[in-house]
Amino acid sequence: MATHRLVEPLSIDLPALIALSLEKHAVPVTTRFWIHSADSGQWKVVIVSPLVDMVGTRETFSRMFDALKNEDFATKQFLNSNILLLGGQESKEALDAMAKGVSRLPNLGPYEDVEVYQVAEAADIDKQGFLHLQPSDESSLVSFGPIDGGGFMKRRSMSKSELEVFLSRLPVSETERSQVLDDLKQGRSTSLLTKIDLKTLYDLRLV
């Protein structure tokens, strides 16, 4: 799983998901982005946190591991090898350059000549794909598969009331919502092409 992420880093939104999880566990994140090192050929997720300036890199890494240990999208192998954690002070020059549109930096942390690929916040990342729903007793099993890849076929059980609230948040017509609920009521599995932002998917435990 980690290997796939390194081969196709821009096809998923791992930095945004990592930032969401860290912030949920009181590790503030200033920004998050991918870098590619020309020398090593490695992809790294860069997380900039003011906590590094306050308690140091080692302690922040420890808190990061605690925050991400139960997240399926962040394997221990990936966190050990492919995260660059920086404080605001040590990354200020690079962040100032990026704010001006620079996408290649002469150095960042221990790396020289790196390409930068910025990642939006999870709430600003729309994922278009298929929402799959399967009836199960008094609830429904819900999963989401984005068209652009990156997995996310994680299932979660929702009660009828939870599902109705969830469907009301999606950009689909009332007719489509009614059809989905009717299919489930009749014991039929169904699916729906829609858009969901990455934060909603994370909050619903569908990633």
Side-chain angles (χ1 to χ4, degrees):
M1 186 176 291
T3 301
H4 174 74
R5 287 179 176 137
L6 297 182
V7 173
E8 299 184 279
L10 303 183
S11 68
I12 62 163
D13 308 289
L14 186 58
L17 290 171
I18 288 174
L20 271 179
S21 185
L22 292 179
E23 288 169 347
K24 185 176 76 173
H25 291 86
V27 178
V29 176
T30 303
T31 188
R32 79 295 307 150
F33 51 92
W34 285 102
I35 61 167
H36 180 252
S37 168
D39 288 339
S40 67
Q42 274 194 314
W43 290 94
K44 297 264 185 181
V45 170
V46 179
I47 298 293
V48 178
S49 173
L51 195 61
V52 174
D53 300 316
M54 293 184 280
V55 300
T57 304
R58 184 186 295 271
E59 174 62 22
T60 306
F61 251 116
S62 177
R63 296 189 194 185
M64 181 181 73
F65 271 94
D66 285 344
L68 297 170
K69 63 184 177 184
N70 294 319
E71 304 284 15
D72 292 341
F73 55 76
T75 65
K76 190 172 183 179
Q77 176 188 353
F78 185 89
L79 295 176
N80 275 323
S81 305
N82 298 95
I83 293 282
L84 177 58
L85 189 59
L86 299 174
Q89 294 301 317
E90 62 187 316
S91 60
K92 186 179 185 308
E93 186 176 335
L95 295 180
D96 287 345
M98 289 165 57
K100 295 175 183 175
V102 173
S103 60
R104 197 175 192 104
L105 301 171
N107 56 72
L108 183 68
Y111 299 98
E112 295 182 353
D113 189 21
V114 294
E115 294 175 86
V116 179
Y117 299 86
Q118 298 199 55
V119 176
E121 293 187 17
D124 297 325
I125 298 174
D126 284 332
K127 307 300 292 182
Q128 183 171 16
F130 287 94
L131 186 69
H132 301 279
L133 304 104
Q134 179 181 347
S136 176
D137 299 324
E138 296 300 311
S139 61
S140 299
L141 294 176
V142 181
S143 60
F144 182 78
I147 289 176
D148 64 357
F152 295 176
M153 295 302 291
K154 188 174 179 180
R155 287 184 171 188
R156 190 219 147 162
S157 178
M158 289 189 195
S159 67
K160 183 180 177 181
S161 59
E162 284 180 306
L163 182 59
E164 287 178 344
V165 170
F166 175 39
L167 291 175
S168 72
R169 298 170 63 182
L170 303 182
V172 295
S173 68
E174 186 56 43
T175 301
E176 289 175 299
R177 275 194 288 270
S178 296
Q179 182 62 57
V180 165
L181 293 172
D182 186 59
D183 283 341
L184 293 171
K185 185 178 179 181
Q186 299 300 321
R188 296 189 296 262
S189 296
T190 187
S191 61
L192 184 67
L193 178 63
T194 187
K195 281 186 178 179
I196 310 176
D197 69 71
L198 193 61
K199 184 178 187 305
T200 297
L201 285 167
Y202 177 79
D203 291 342
L204 290 169
R205 303 191 302 279
L206 291 175
V207 295

